[in-house]
Amino acid sequence: MKVLLVSPYSEKLVGGIINWTKYIINYHRENGGDVNLTLLNNENATQVFGATNPVKRLFAGLSNYLPVVRQFKEQVANEHYDVAHICTSGSFGLIRDLLIVKAAKKRGVKTIAHTHFGRIPQVLNSRGWETILLKRLLRRVDCVAVMDGFSLKALKDHGYNNVRFVPNPLSADVKKIIDGIGDLERESRKIVYAGHVLPSKGLKELVEACREIDQIKLEILGKVSDESFREQLYQIGGDDSKSWLDIPGNKPFEEVIKEMKSCGIFVLPSYSEGFPNVILESMACGCLIVATSVGAIPEMLDIESENPCGVCVPVKSVEELRNALVDLLGNQMKATALGANARKRVNEQYAMPKVWEQLVVVWRTV
């Protein structure tokens, strides 16, 4: 089985699809079995400058996409592949993906479009240019892989039957780090957020919610691109905010894991997410998790089951976020049970060996 993986990869950069690619490549190197996996790195093609206007983005994208398409054509012309596994984040990248699929069809190579974005239900129900491009791609590929149940249902409701569910994995390397640190004593009233420090992550609402809760410590960990936003968060927290709110910026990954393992609650109040790795990592740490009901998070936390792994709240609702935090801070038995459920579920459903097996099945049956 020869698979050509078209996906972004970088030793320096981090991000959703880049992280996923690292996990898959690293696992394959040690446990690939009889799968011959080759990477076609389209990392440069993903750097289409989001701050520019759509026309400039389109031209910037095309200048990056066309070399990737040429390289794909050369590789499939020089060596036979059974499957081309194309990771896509939508938007203008769909143009590149369509060109790659067209080239694969000419060479008799099966194609899989692996959607790494959580907007599929919204895009399918829209009428814009992205909807047109996405539907064309879905019609042309042999199989579509999705990372969440909402996307799976939306695609099937729109008549697409060639859809397979493949969740994102918990990295084997990350699991080793988590297991290596071992259990730490939890500070019941410490709340931790980890990720980019951006308004879209719901951090204004988080600080406002925590401002009215007594005797807590809130740690907001992650890259701070805008110092004025850090100061704004301290201002929202009030005059005494620096006594209970800490925004230190980036920390080494192992230190972040230690903070997760020692916190009372891990919180991710984002406005939008796809399949966030940080939720898998906090689940593996046995955290009590409070997050917004976006992307795959409700499914990851199995919210509708008899044994949920956390609590979900609506986006931008300060009151409901505060109520959830207060309720859980005062109920240690519930917190322990939710954390135990999370650790069990991530090991059963999202461990790297299990996700790898699902990928191999998709490649073999496409």
Side-chain angles (χ1 to χ4, degrees):
M1 170 63 63
K2 299 187 71 171
V3 179
L4 180 57
L5 176 62
V6 185
S7 192
Y9 182 89
S10 172
E11 292 293 344
K12 296 180 180 180
L13 299 177
V14 296
I17 306 183
I18 289 175
N19 288 346
W20 181 91
T21 308
K22 288 179 182 178
Y23 301 160
I24 297 301
I25 293 297
N26 290 342
Y27 187 82
H28 171 261
R29 286 171 180 163
E30 296 184 8
N31 308 278
D34 60 352
V35 174
N36 185 333
L37 183 66
T38 302
L39 174 67
L40 195 168
N41 185 4
N42 67 356
E43 186 268 320
N44 288 333
T46 67
Q47 307 303 308
V48 179
F49 316 103
T52 59
N53 66 52
V55 175
K56 289 184 179 180
R57 286 176 60 201
L58 176 59
F59 280 103
L62 289 174
S63 67
N64 284 329
Y65 299 155
L66 294 179
V68 174
V69 176
R70 283 197 297 270
Q71 186 179 350
F72 179 87
K73 290 179 178 179
E74 291 173 2
Q75 287 198 223
V76 297
N78 294 328
E79 188 168 355
H80 173 73
Y81 293 94
D82 298 293
V83 179
H85 187 118
I86 306 157
C87 294
T88 180
S89 56
S91 191
F92 290 119
L94 293 167
I95 299 172
R96 173 203 62 217
D97 303 330
L98 281 164
L99 293 172
I100 288 173
V101 170
K102 182 179 179 181
K105 292 295 182 184
K106 286 185 178 180
R107 295 286 177 177
V109 180
K110 297 285 188 179
T111 53
I112 297 169
H114 194 157
T115 56
H116 285 264
F117 56 102
R119 298 177 291 106
I120 288 178
Q122 294 91 330
V123 174
L124 288 175
N125 290 320
S126 179
R127 294 184 178 180
W129 58 267
E130 189 178 18
T131 303
I132 295 171
L133 291 174
L134 177 61
K135 288 183 175 180
R136 285 183 180 176
L137 180 67
L138 297 176
R139 288 195 300 267
R140 286 163 172 75
V141 295
D142 296 288
C143 178
V144 181
V146 296
M147 61 184 182
D148 64 88
F150 294 110
S151 296
L152 181 68
K153 183 178 185 303
L155 287 167
K156 290 192 171 182
D157 287 347
H158 279 77
Y160 298 100
N161 297 315
N162 59 338
V163 188
R164 302 291 293 273
F165 170 60
V166 182
N168 286 4
L170 174 70
S171 161
D173 293 336
V174 168
K175 189 174 187 307
K176 287 179 183 177
I177 293 172
I178 291 172
D179 292 344
I181 291 172
D183 291 328
L184 302 177
E185 183 177 353
R186 293 198 178 271
E187 300 176 42
S188 62
R189 300 192 71 81
K190 181 170 79 172
I191 300 169
V192 168
Y193 162 88
H196 289 168
V197 180
L198 300 168
S200 61
K201 295 298 184 177
L203 298 179
K204 291 180 182 179
E205 291 82 0
L206 175 59
V207 172
E208 188 175 348
C210 290
R211 185 179 61 194
E212 304 300 325
I213 304 175
D214 294 332
Q215 297 180 327
I216 62 161
K217 180 180 180 181
L218 173 60
E219 294 187 358
I220 296 177
L221 309 177
K223 181 179 179 180
V224 180
S225 299
D226 183 354
E227 285 298 326
S228 65
F229 182 59
R230 190 202 309 249
E231 291 307 312
Q232 187 178 4
L233 291 177
Y234 279 124
Q235 290 173 10
I236 292 172
D239 294 337
D240 66 338
S241 61
K242 292 191 177 181
S243 67
W244 58 269
L245 172 61
D246 188 19
I247 313 174
N250 263 337
K251 283 191 172 186
F253 182 73
E254 289 195 22
E255 289 190 29
V256 174
I257 293 299
K258 287 179 181 179
E259 295 294 349
M260 287 183 181
K261 280 181 162 281
S262 63
C263 72
I265 300 177
F266 178 82
V267 62
L268 185 67
S270 300
Y271 299 167
S272 175
E273 291 286 349
F275 196 110
N277 288 321
V278 73
I279 290 292
L280 292 179
E281 292 157 4
S282 58
M283 290 172 72
C285 289
C287 292
L288 165 58
I289 301 166
V290 176
T292 41
S293 301
V294 295
I297 292 176
E299 181 180 342
M300 297 168 77
L301 298 180
D302 208 14
I303 292 299
E304 299 299 327
S305 76
E306 294 181 357
N307 298 296
C309 305
V311 173
C312 281
V313 297
V315 171
K316 298 184 181 182
S317 176
V318 173
E319 182 179 359
E320 294 204 39
L321 177 57
R322 181 188 299 121
N323 290 342
L325 294 173
V326 169
D327 175 61
L328 294 168
L329 287 168
N331 191 335
Q332 190 58 47
M333 185 177 296
K334 183 177 181 180
T336 301
L338 291 172
N341 291 344
R343 196 195 303 258
K344 182 174 185 289
R345 179 169 171 80
V346 77
N347 289 325
E348 291 180 350
Q349 301 293 325
Y350 302 114
M352 186 69 240
K354 295 182 181 295
V355 175
W356 175 260
E357 288 175 7
Q358 293 179 58
L359 273 174
V360 172
V361 169
V362 173
W363 292 335
R364 293 195 182 281
T365 58
V366 65

